[in-house]
Amino acid sequence: MTKFELIARLAEANPHLFQRDVERIVSTIFDGISDALARGDRVELRGFGVFSARKREARVGRNPRTGEAVKVDSKFVPFFKAGKLLRDKLNT
């Protein structure tokens, strides 16, 4: 599901809200999660899961086209761990 499809479904399920308001709500939530991760915070949505940032250490990678070794710097990457309720829902 894309962000646009999510907004459309939420707007359809909540006819008392305008689509532009639903779009603003979804964008605000996503921006809040992104900002928290950028600050190094952890975002926990009970029953859904936890978003966090993990550090990937520097390593030597390979250029897939040439096979040449390429130095890859360390970086932070987003990580998601599904909550128990979400896992249970997926596995029923």
Side-chain angles (χ1 to χ4, degrees):
M1 174 183 295
T2 65
K3 183 177 174 182
F4 178 77
E5 291 169 342
L6 174 65
I7 291 168
R9 280 195 187 177
L10 289 173
E12 185 179 303
N14 298 284
H16 60 283
L17 295 173
F18 292 112
Q19 185 164 347
R20 69 176 181 268
D21 294 334
V22 174
E23 184 175 352
R24 191 174 313 141
I25 291 166
V26 170
S27 293
T28 301
I29 291 170
F30 288 165
D31 290 344
I33 292 171
S34 299
D35 292 344
L37 292 177
R39 287 191 308 269
D41 294 340
R42 178 176 176 257
V43 178
E44 181 176 337
L45 303 173
R46 297 280 170 141
F48 184 72
V50 177
F51 294 91
S52 60
R54 289 195 175 175
K55 185 174 183 179
R56 269 203 199 145
E57 296 299 328
R59 62 187 172 84
V60 176
R62 297 260 174 228
N63 181 332
R65 186 177 303 169
T66 64
E68 176 184 349
V70 178
K71 182 178 179 254
V72 179
D73 294 332
S74 65
K75 59 185 169 185
F76 286 92
V77 294
F79 178 77
F80 175 75
K81 181 177 181 185
K84 185 177 184 329
L85 292 176
L86 179 59
R87 284 193 314 267
D88 291 345
K89 192 171 191 175
L90 290 174
N91 293 310
T92 57

Coordinates of all heavy atoms in Angstrom, one line a residue:
M1 N 0.8 -1.2 0.0 CA 0.0 0.0 0.0 C 0.9 1.2 0.0 O 1.8 1.3 0.8 CB -0.9 0.0 1.3 CG -1.7 1.2 1.4 SD -2.7 1.3 2.9 CE -3.8 0.0 2.7
T2 N 0.6 2.2 -0.9 CA 1.3 3.4 -0.9 C 0.7 4.4 0.0 O -0.4 4.2 0.6 CB 1.3 4.0 -2.3 OG1 0.0 4.4 -2.7 CG2 1.9 3.0 -3.4
K3 N 1.4 5.5 0.3 CA 1.0 6.6 1.1 C -0.4 7.1 0.6 O -1.3 7.4 1.4 CB 2.0 7.7 1.3 CG 1.6 8.8 2.2 CD 2.8 9.8 2.3 CE 2.4 11.0 3.1 NZ 3.5 12.0 3.2
F4 N -0.5 7.3 -0.7 CA -1.7 7.8 -1.3 C -2.9 6.8 -1.1 O -4.0 7.3 -0.8 CB -1.5 8.0 -2.8 CG -2.7 8.5 -3.5 CD1 -3.1 9.8 -3.4 CD2 -3.5 7.6 -4.3 CE1 -4.3 10.2 -4.1 CE2 -4.6 8.0 -4.9 CZ -5.0 9.4 -4.8
E5 N -2.6 5.5 -1.2 CA -3.7 4.5 -1.0 C -4.1 4.5 0.5 O -5.3 4.4 0.8 CB -3.2 3.2 -1.4 CG -3.0 3.0 -2.9 CD -2.3 1.7 -3.3 OE1 -1.6 1.1 -2.4 OE2 -2.4 1.3 -4.4
L6 N -3.2 4.7 1.4 CA -3.5 4.8 2.8 C -4.4 6.0 3.1 O -5.4 5.9 3.8 CB -2.2 4.9 3.6 CG -2.4 5.1 5.1 CD1 -3.0 3.9 5.8 CD2 -1.0 5.4 5.8
I7 N -4.0 7.1 2.5 CA -4.8 8.3 2.7 C -6.2 8.2 2.2 O -7.2 8.5 2.8 CB -4.1 9.6 2.1 CG1 -2.8 9.9 2.9 CG2 -5.0 10.8 2.0 CD1 -1.9 10.9 2.2
A8 N -6.3 7.6 1.0 CA -7.6 7.3 0.4 C -8.5 6.4 1.2 O -9.7 6.7 1.4 CB -7.4 6.8 -1.0
R9 N -7.9 5.3 1.7 CA -8.7 4.4 2.6 C -9.1 5.1 3.9 O -10.3 4.8 4.3 CB -7.8 3.2 2.9 CG -7.8 2.2 1.8 CD -7.3 0.9 2.3 NE -7.1 -0.1 1.2 CZ -6.6 -1.3 1.3 NH1 -6.2 -1.7 2.5 NH2 -6.5 -2.1 0.3
L10 N -8.2 5.8 4.5 CA -8.6 6.5 5.7 C -9.7 7.5 5.5 O -10.6 7.7 6.3 CB -7.4 7.1 6.4 CG -6.4 6.2 7.0 CD1 -5.1 6.9 7.4 CD2 -7.0 5.4 8.1
A11 N -9.6 8.3 4.4 CA -10.6 9.3 4.1 C -12.0 8.6 3.8 O -13.0 9.1 4.2 CB -10.2 10.1 2.8
E12 N -11.9 7.5 3.1 CA -13.2 6.7 2.8 C -13.8 6.1 4.1 O -15.0 6.2 4.3 CB -12.8 5.5 1.9 CG -14.0 4.8 1.4 CD -13.6 3.7 0.4 OE1 -12.9 4.0 -0.6 OE2 -13.9 2.5 0.7
A13 N -13.0 5.7 5.0 CA -13.5 5.2 6.3 C -13.9 6.2 7.2 O -14.7 5.9 8.2 CB -12.4 4.3 7.0
N14 N -13.5 7.5 7.0 CA -13.9 8.6 7.9 C -14.5 9.7 7.0 O -13.9 10.7 6.8 CB -12.7 9.1 8.6 CG -12.1 8.1 9.6 OD1 -12.7 7.8 10.6 ND2 -11.0 7.5 9.2
P15 N -15.7 9.5 6.6 CA -16.3 10.5 5.6 C -16.5 11.9 6.3 O -16.7 12.9 5.5 CB -17.7 9.9 5.3 CG -18.0 8.9 6.3 CD -16.7 8.4 6.9
H16 N -16.5 12.0 7.6 CA -16.6 13.3 8.3 C -15.4 14.1 8.1 O -15.4 15.3 8.5 CB -17.0 13.1 9.7 CG -16.0 12.3 10.5 ND1 -15.9 11.0 10.4 CD2 -15.1 12.7 11.4 CE1 -14.9 10.6 11.2 NE2 -14.4 11.6 11.8
L17 N -14.2 13.6 7.6 CA -13.0 14.3 7.5 C -12.7 14.5 6.0 O -13.0 13.7 5.1 CB -11.8 13.5 8.0 CG -11.8 13.3 9.5 CD1 -10.7 12.3 9.9 CD2 -11.6 14.6 10.3
F18 N -12.2 15.7 5.7 CA -11.8 16.0 4.3 C -10.5 15.2 4.0 O -9.7 15.0 4.9 CB -11.5 17.5 4.1 CG -12.8 18.3 4.2 CD1 -13.0 19.2 5.2 CD2 -13.8 18.2 3.2 CE1 -14.1 20.0 5.3 CE2 -14.9 19.0 3.3 CZ -15.1 19.8 4.4
Q19 N -10.3 14.9 2.7 CA -9.1 14.1 2.3 C -7.9 14.9 2.6 O -6.9 14.4 3.0 CB -9.2 13.7 0.8 CG -8.0 12.9 0.5 CD -8.2 12.1 -0.8 OE1 -9.3 12.1 -1.4 NE2 -7.1 11.6 -1.4
R20 N -7.9 16.2 2.4 CA -6.7 17.1 2.7 C -6.4 17.0 4.2 O -5.2 17.1 4.5 CB -7.0 18.5 2.2 CG -8.0 19.3 3.0 CD -8.1 20.7 2.5 NE -9.1 21.5 3.2 CZ -10.3 21.6 2.9 NH1 -10.8 21.0 1.8 NH2 -11.1 22.3 3.7
D21 N -7.4 16.9 5.1 CA -7.1 16.8 6.5 C -6.5 15.5 6.8 O -5.6 15.4 7.6 CB -8.4 17.0 7.3 CG -9.0 18.4 7.2 OD1 -8.2 19.3 6.9 OD2 -10.2 18.6 7.3
V22 N -7.0 14.4 6.2 CA -6.4 13.1 6.4 C -5.0 13.1 5.9 O -4.1 12.5 6.6 CB -7.2 12.0 5.7 CG1 -6.6 10.6 5.8 CG2 -8.6 11.9 6.3
E23 N -4.7 13.7 4.8 CA -3.4 13.8 4.2 C -2.4 14.5 5.2 O -1.3 14.1 5.5 CB -3.4 14.5 2.9 CG -2.0 14.5 2.2 CD -2.1 15.1 0.8 OE1 -3.2 15.3 0.3 OE2 -1.0 15.3 0.2
R24 N -2.9 15.6 5.8 CA -2.1 16.3 6.8 C -1.8 15.5 8.0 O -0.7 15.5 8.5 CB -2.9 17.6 7.1 CG -2.0 18.6 7.9 CD -2.7 19.9 8.2 NE -3.3 20.4 7.0 CZ -4.5 21.1 6.9 NH1 -5.2 21.3 8.0 NH2 -5.0 21.5 5.8
I25 N -2.8 14.7 8.5 CA -2.6 13.9 9.7 C -1.6 12.8 9.4 O -0.7 12.6 10.2 CB -4.0 13.2 10.1 CG1 -4.9 14.3 10.6 CG2 -3.8 12.1 11.1 CD1 -6.4 13.8 10.7
V26 N -1.7 12.1 8.3 CA -0.8 11.1 7.9 C 0.7 11.6 7.8 O 1.6 11.1 8.3 CB -1.2 10.3 6.7 CG1 -0.1 9.4 6.1 CG2 -2.5 9.5 6.9
S27 N 0.8 12.8 7.1 CA 2.1 13.4 6.9 C 2.7 13.8 8.2 O 3.9 13.7 8.4 CB 2.0 14.6 5.9 OG 1.6 14.2 4.7
T28 N 1.9 14.3 9.1 CA 2.4 14.8 10.4 C 2.9 13.6 11.2 O 3.9 13.7 11.9 CB 1.2 15.5 11.2 OG1 0.8 16.6 10.4 CG2 1.7 16.0 12.6
I29 N 2.2 12.5 11.2 CA 2.6 11.3 11.9 C 3.9 10.8 11.3 O 4.9 10.5 12.1 CB 1.5 10.2 11.8 CG1 0.3 10.6 12.7 CG2 2.1 8.8 12.3 CD1 -0.9 9.7 12.5
F30 N 4.0 10.7 10.0 CA 5.3 10.2 9.4 C 6.4 11.1 9.6 O 7.5 10.7 9.9 CB 5.1 10.0 7.9 CG 4.2 8.8 7.5 CD1 3.7 8.7 6.2 CD2 3.9 7.8 8.4 CE1 3.0 7.6 5.9 CE2 3.2 6.7 8.1 CZ 2.7 6.6 6.8
D31 N 6.2 12.5 9.6 CA 7.2 13.4 9.9 C 7.7 13.3 11.3 O 8.9 13.5 11.6 CB 6.7 14.9 9.6 CG 6.5 15.1 8.1 OD1 7.1 14.3 7.3 OD2 5.9 16.1 7.8
G32 N 6.7 13.1 12.2 CA 7.1 13.0 13.6 C 8.0 11.8 13.9 O 8.9 11.8 14.6
I33 N 7.6 10.7 13.2 CA 8.5 9.5 13.4 C 9.8 9.7 12.8 O 10.9 9.4 13.4 CB 7.8 8.2 12.7 CG1 6.5 7.8 13.5 CG2 8.8 7.1 12.6 CD1 5.7 6.8 12.7
S34 N 9.9 10.3 11.6 CA 11.2 10.6 11.0 C 12.1 11.6 11.8 O 13.3 11.3 12.0 CB 11.0 11.3 9.6 OG 10.3 10.4 8.8
D35 N 11.4 12.6 12.4 CA 12.2 13.6 13.2 C 12.7 12.9 14.5 O 13.8 13.1 14.9 CB 11.3 14.8 13.6 CG 10.9 15.6 12.4 OD1 11.6 15.5 11.3 OD2 10.0 16.4 12.5
A36 N 11.9 12.0 15.1 CA 12.3 11.3 16.3 C 13.5 10.4 16.0 O 14.5 10.4 16.7 CB 11.2 10.5 16.9
L37 N 13.5 9.7 14.9 CA 14.6 8.8 14.5 C 15.8 9.6 14.2 O 16.9 9.2 14.5 CB 14.2 8.0 13.3 CG 13.1 6.9 13.6 CD1 12.8 6.2 12.3 CD2 13.6 5.9 14.6
A38 N 15.7 10.8 13.6 CA 16.8 11.6 13.3 C 17.5 12.2 14.5 O 18.7 12.4 14.6 CB 16.4 12.8 12.4
R39 N 16.7 12.4 15.6 CA 17.2 12.8 16.9 C 17.9 11.6 17.7 O 18.5 11.8 18.7 CB 16.1 13.4 17.8 CG 15.7 14.8 17.3 CD 14.8 15.4 18.4 NE 13.7 14.5 18.8 CZ 12.5 14.5 18.3 NH1 12.2 15.3 17.3 NH2 11.5 13.7 18.8
G40 N 17.7 10.4 17.2 CA 18.2 9.2 17.9 C 17.2 8.6 18.9 O 17.5 7.8 19.6
D41 N 15.9 9.1 18.8 CA 14.9 8.6 19.7 C 14.3 7.3 19.1 O 14.5 7.0 18.0 CB 13.8 9.6 19.9 CG 14.2 10.9 20.6 OD1 15.3 10.8 21.3 OD2 13.6 11.9 20.5
R42 N 13.6 6.6 20.0 CA 12.9 5.4 19.6 C 11.4 5.7 19.6 O 10.9 6.4 20.5 CB 13.2 4.4 20.7 CG 12.7 3.1 20.6 CD 13.3 2.2 21.7 NE 12.6 0.9 21.8 CZ 11.7 0.5 22.6 NH1 11.3 1.4 23.6 NH2 11.2 -0.7 22.5
V43 N 10.7 5.2 18.7 CA 9.2 5.5 18.6 C 8.5 4.2 18.8 O 8.7 3.2 18.0 CB 8.8 6.1 17.2 CG1 7.3 6.3 17.2 CG2 9.6 7.4 17.0
E44 N 7.7 4.1 19.8 CA 7.0 2.8 20.1 C 5.5 3.1 20.0 O 4.9 3.9 20.6 CB 7.3 2.4 21.6 CG 6.6 1.1 21.9 CD 7.0 0.7 23.3 OE1 8.0 1.1 23.8 OE2 6.2 -0.1 23.9
L45 N 4.9 2.3 19.1 CA 3.4 2.3 18.9 C 2.9 1.0 19.5 O 3.0 0.0 18.8 CB 3.1 2.5 17.4 CG 3.7 3.8 16.8 CD1 3.4 3.7 15.3 CD2 3.1 5.0 17.4
R46 N 2.3 1.1 20.6 CA 1.8 -0.2 21.3 C 0.9 -1.0 20.4 O 0.0 -0.5 19.8 CB 1.1 0.2 22.6 CG 1.9 0.9 23.6 CD 2.7 -0.1 24.4 NE 3.7 0.7 25.2 CZ 4.0 0.3 26.4 NH1 3.5 -0.8 26.9 NH2 4.9 1.0 27.1
G47 N 1.2 -2.3 20.4 CA 0.5 -3.2 19.6 C 0.9 -3.2 18.1 O 0.5 -4.1 17.4
F48 N 1.6 -2.2 17.6 CA 2.0 -2.1 16.2 C 3.5 -2.5 16.1 O 3.8 -3.4 15.4 CB 1.7 -0.8 15.6 CG 2.0 -0.7 14.2 CD1 1.2 -1.3 13.2 CD2 3.1 0.0 13.7 CE1 1.5 -1.2 11.9 CE2 3.4 0.1 12.4 CZ 2.6 -0.5 11.5
G49 N 4.3 -1.7 16.8 CA 5.7 -2.0 16.7 C 6.6 -0.8 17.2 O 6.1 0.2 17.6
V50 N 7.9 -1.0 17.0 CA 8.9 0.0 17.4 C 9.8 0.3 16.3 O 10.3 -0.5 15.6 CB 9.8 -0.6 18.6 CG1 10.8 0.4 19.0 CG2 8.9 -1.0 19.8
F51 N 9.9 1.7 16.1 CA 10.8 2.2 15.1 C 12.1 2.7 15.8 O 12.0 3.3 16.9 CB 10.2 3.4 14.3 CG 9.1 3.0 13.5 CD1 7.8 3.1 14.0 CD2 9.2 2.6 12.2 CE1 6.7 2.8 13.2 CE2 8.1 2.3 11.4 CZ 6.9 2.4 11.9
S52 N 13.2 2.4 15.3 CA 14.5 2.8 15.9 C 15.5 3.0 14.8 O 15.3 2.6 13.7 CB 15.0 1.9 17.0 OG 15.2 0.6 16.5
A53 N 16.6 3.6 15.2 CA 17.7 3.8 14.2 C 18.9 3.0 14.7 O 19.2 3.0 15.9 CB 18.1 5.3 14.2
R54 N 19.5 2.2 13.8 CA 20.6 1.4 14.2 C 21.8 1.8 13.4 O 21.7 2.2 12.2 CB 20.3 -0.1 13.9 CG 19.3 -0.7 14.8 CD 19.4 -2.2 14.8 NE 18.5 -2.7 15.8 CZ 18.2 -4.0 15.9 NH1 18.7 -4.9 15.0 NH2 17.4 -4.4 16.8
K55 N 23.0 1.7 14.0 CA 24.2 2.1 13.3 C 24.8 0.9 12.5 O 24.9 -0.2 13.1 CB 25.2 2.6 14.3 CG 26.5 3.2 13.6 CD 27.4 3.8 14.6 CE 28.6 4.4 13.8 NZ 29.5 5.0 14.7
R56 N 25.1 1.1 11.3 CA 25.8 0.2 10.5 C 27.2 0.6 10.4 O 27.5 1.7 10.0 CB 25.2 0.1 9.0 CG 24.2 -0.9 8.9 CD 24.0 -1.3 7.5 NE 22.7 -1.9 7.4 CZ 21.9 -1.9 6.3 NH1 22.3 -1.2 5.3 NH2 20.8 -2.5 6.3
E57 N 28.1 -0.3 10.8 CA 29.5 0.1 10.8 C 30.1 0.2 9.4 O 29.5 -0.4 8.4 CB 30.3 -1.0 11.6 CG 29.9 -1.1 13.0 CD 30.2 0.2 13.8 OE1 31.2 0.9 13.5 OE2 29.5 0.4 14.7
A58 N 31.2 0.9 9.3 CA 31.9 1.0 8.0 C 32.3 -0.4 7.5 O 32.6 -1.3 8.3 CB 33.1 1.9 8.1
R59 N 32.3 -0.6 6.2 CA 32.7 -1.9 5.6 C 33.2 -1.7 4.2 O 33.1 -0.6 3.7 CB 31.5 -2.8 5.6 CG 30.3 -2.3 4.7 CD 29.1 -3.2 4.9 NE 28.0 -2.6 4.2 CZ 27.7 -2.7 2.9 NH1 28.5 -3.4 2.1 NH2 26.6 -2.2 2.4
V60 N 33.7 -2.8 3.7 CA 34.1 -2.8 2.3 C 33.1 -3.5 1.5 O 32.8 -4.7 1.7 CB 35.5 -3.4 2.1 CG1 35.9 -3.5 0.6 CG2 36.6 -2.7 2.9
G61 N 32.5 -2.8 0.5 CA 31.5 -3.4 -0.3 C 32.0 -3.6 -1.7 O 33.2 -3.4 -2.0
R62 N 31.2 -4.1 -2.6 CA 31.6 -4.4 -4.0 C 30.7 -3.7 -5.0 O 29.5 -3.7 -4.8 CB 31.5 -5.9 -4.3 CG 32.5 -6.7 -3.4 CD 33.7 -7.1 -4.2 NE 34.6 -7.7 -3.3 CZ 35.9 -7.4 -3.3 NH1 36.4 -6.5 -4.0 NH2 36.7 -8.1 -2.5
N63 N 31.3 -3.1 -6.0 CA 30.5 -2.5 -7.1 C 30.0 -3.7 -7.9 O 30.8 -4.5 -8.4 CB 31.4 -1.6 -7.9 CG 30.7 -1.0 -9.1 OD1 29.7 -1.5 -9.6 ND2 31.1 0.2 -9.5
P64 N 28.7 -3.9 -8.0 CA 28.2 -5.1 -8.7 C 28.5 -5.2 -10.1 O 28.6 -6.2 -10.7 CB 26.7 -5.0 -8.4 CG 26.4 -3.6 -8.1 CD 27.6 -3.1 -7.5
R65 N 28.7 -4.0 -10.7 CA 29.0 -4.0 -12.2 C 30.4 -4.4 -12.5 O 30.7 -5.2 -13.4 CB 28.7 -2.6 -12.8 CG 28.9 -2.6 -14.3 CD 28.5 -1.2 -14.9 NE 27.1 -0.9 -14.5 CZ 26.6 0.3 -14.6 NH1 27.3 1.3 -15.2 NH2 25.4 0.6 -14.3
T66 N 31.4 -3.8 -11.7 CA 32.8 -4.1 -12.0 C 33.4 -5.1 -11.0 O 34.5 -5.6 -11.3 CB 33.6 -2.8 -11.9 OG1 33.5 -2.2 -10.6 CG2 33.0 -1.7 -12.9
G67 N 32.8 -5.3 -9.9 CA 33.4 -6.2 -8.9 C 34.5 -5.5 -8.0 O 35.1 -6.1 -7.2
E68 N 34.7 -4.2 -8.3 CA 35.7 -3.4 -7.6 C 35.3 -3.2 -6.1 O 34.1 -3.0 -5.8 CB 35.9 -2.1 -8.3 CG 36.8 -1.1 -7.7 CD 36.8 0.2 -8.4 OE1 36.3 0.4 -9.5 OE2 37.4 1.2 -7.8
A69 N 36.3 -3.2 -5.2 CA 36.0 -3.0 -3.8 C 35.7 -1.5 -3.6 O 36.4 -0.6 -4.2 CB 37.2 -3.4 -3.0
V70 N 34.7 -1.2 -2.8 CA 34.3 0.2 -2.5 C 34.1 0.4 -1.0 O 33.5 -0.5 -0.4 CB 33.0 0.5 -3.2 CG1 32.5 1.9 -2.9 CG2 33.0 0.3 -4.7
K71 N 34.7 1.4 -0.5 CA 34.6 1.7 0.9 C 33.2 2.3 1.2 O 32.8 3.3 0.6 CB 35.7 2.7 1.4 CG 35.6 3.0 2.9 CD 36.8 3.9 3.3 CE 36.7 4.2 4.7 NZ 36.2 5.5 5.0
V72 N 32.5 1.7 2.1 CA 31.2 2.2 2.5 C 31.3 2.7 3.9 O 31.7 2.0 4.9 CB 30.1 1.1 2.5 CG1 28.7 1.6 2.9 CG2 30.0 0.5 1.1
D73 N 31.0 4.0 4.1 CA 31.1 4.6 5.4 C 30.0 4.1 6.4 O 29.0 3.6 6.0 CB 30.9 6.2 5.3 CG 32.1 6.8 4.5 OD1 33.2 6.2 4.6 OD2 31.9 7.8 3.9
S74 N 30.3 4.3 7.7 CA 29.2 3.9 8.7 C 28.0 4.9 8.5 O 28.2 6.0 8.1 CB 29.8 4.0 10.1 OG 30.1 5.3 10.4
K75 N 26.9 4.4 8.9 CA 25.7 5.2 8.8 C 24.6 4.6 9.7 O 24.7 3.5 10.2 CB 25.2 5.2 7.3 CG 24.9 3.8 6.7 CD 24.5 3.9 5.3 CE 24.5 2.5 4.7 NZ 24.2 2.6 3.2
F76 N 23.6 5.4 9.9 CA 22.4 5.0 10.6 C 21.3 4.6 9.7 O 21.1 5.3 8.7 CB 21.9 6.1 11.6 CG 22.8 6.3 12.8 CD1 23.8 7.2 12.7 CD2 22.6 5.5 13.9 CE1 24.7 7.4 13.8 CE2 23.5 5.7 15.0 CZ 24.5 6.6 15.0
V77 N 20.6 3.5 10.0 CA 19.5 3.0 9.1 C 18.3 2.8 10.0 O 18.4 2.5 11.2 CB 19.9 1.7 8.4 CG1 21.0 2.0 7.4 CG2 20.3 0.6 9.3
P78 N 17.1 3.1 9.4 CA 15.9 2.8 10.2 C 15.7 1.3 10.4 O 16.0 0.5 9.5 CB 14.8 3.5 9.4 CG 15.3 3.5 8.0 CD 16.8 3.6 8.1
F79 N 15.1 1.0 11.5 CA 14.8 -0.4 11.9 C 13.4 -0.5 12.5 O 13.0 0.4 13.2 CB 15.9 -0.9 12.9 CG 15.6 -2.4 13.3 CD1 16.0 -3.4 12.4 CD2 15.1 -2.6 14.5 CE1 15.7 -4.7 12.8 CE2 14.8 -3.9 14.9 CZ 15.2 -5.0 14.1
F80 N 12.7 -1.5 12.1 CA 11.3 -1.7 12.6 C 11.2 -3.1 13.2 O 11.6 -4.1 12.6 CB 10.3 -1.5 11.5 CG 8.9 -1.8 12.0 CD1 8.2 -0.9 12.8 CD2 8.2 -3.0 11.6 CE1 6.9 -1.2 13.2 CE2 6.9 -3.3 12.0 CZ 6.3 -2.4 12.8
K81 N 10.7 -3.2 14.4 CA 10.4 -4.5 15.0 C 8.9 -4.5 15.3 O 8.3 -3.7 16.0 CB 11.2 -4.6 16.3 CG 10.9 -6.0 17.0 CD 11.7 -6.2 18.2 CE 11.4 -7.5 18.8 NZ 12.0 -7.8 20.1
A82 N 8.2 -5.5 14.7 CA 6.8 -5.6 14.8 C 6.4 -6.0 16.2 O 7.1 -6.7 16.9 CB 6.2 -6.7 13.9
G83 N 5.3 -5.4 16.7 CA 4.8 -5.7 18.0 C 4.0 -7.0 18.0 O 3.7 -7.6 17.0
K84 N 3.7 -7.5 19.2 CA 3.1 -8.8 19.4 C 1.7 -8.9 18.7 O 1.4 -9.8 18.0 CB 3.0 -9.2 20.9 CG 2.4 -10.6 21.1 CD 2.4 -10.9 22.5 CE 2.0 -12.3 22.9 NZ 1.0 -13.0 22.0
L85 N 0.9 -7.8 18.9 CA -0.4 -7.8 18.3 C -0.4 -7.9 16.8 O -1.2 -8.6 16.2 CB -1.2 -6.6 18.8 CG -1.6 -6.6 20.3 CD1 -2.3 -5.3 20.6 CD2 -2.5 -7.7 20.6
L86 N 0.6 -7.2 16.2 CA 0.7 -7.2 14.7 C 1.2 -8.5 14.3 O 0.6 -9.1 13.3 CB 1.7 -6.1 14.3 CG 2.0 -6.0 12.8 CD1 0.7 -5.7 12.0 CD2 3.0 -4.9 12.5
R87 N 2.1 -9.1 15.0 CA 2.6 -10.5 14.6 C 1.5 -11.5 14.7 O 1.3 -12.3 13.8 CB 3.8 -10.9 15.4 CG 5.1 -10.2 15.1 CD 6.3 -10.9 15.8 NE 6.1 -11.2 17.2 CZ 6.4 -10.4 18.2 NH1 7.0 -9.3 17.9 NH2 6.2 -10.8 19.4
D88 N 0.7 -11.4 15.8 CA -0.4 -12.3 16.0 C -1.5 -12.2 14.9 O -2.0 -13.1 14.4 CB -1.1 -12.1 17.3 CG -0.2 -12.6 18.5 OD1 0.8 -13.3 18.2 OD2 -0.5 -12.2 19.6
K89 N -1.7 -10.9 14.5 CA -2.7 -10.7 13.4 C -2.3 -11.2 12.1 O -3.1 -11.7 11.3 CB -3.0 -9.1 13.3 CG -4.2 -8.8 12.5 CD -4.5 -7.3 12.6 CE -5.8 -7.0 12.0 NZ -6.3 -5.7 12.2
L90 N -1.0 -11.1 11.8 CA -0.5 -11.6 10.5 C -0.5 -13.1 10.5 O -0.6 -13.7 9.4 CB 1.0 -11.1 10.3 CG 1.1 -9.6 10.0 CD1 2.6 -9.3 10.0 CD2 0.5 -9.3 8.7
N91 N -0.3 -13.8 11.7 CA -0.2 -15.2 11.7 C -1.5 -16.0 12.1 O -1.4 -17.1 12.5 CB 1.0 -15.6 12.7 CG 2.3 -15.1 12.1 OD1 2.6 -15.4 11.0 ND2 3.1 -14.4 12.9
T92 N -2.6 -15.3 12.0 CA -3.9 -16.0 12.3 C -4.6 -16.4 11.0 O -4.4 -15.9 10.0 CB -4.8 -15.1 13.2 OG1 -5.1 -13.9 12.5 CG2 -4.2 -14.9 14.5

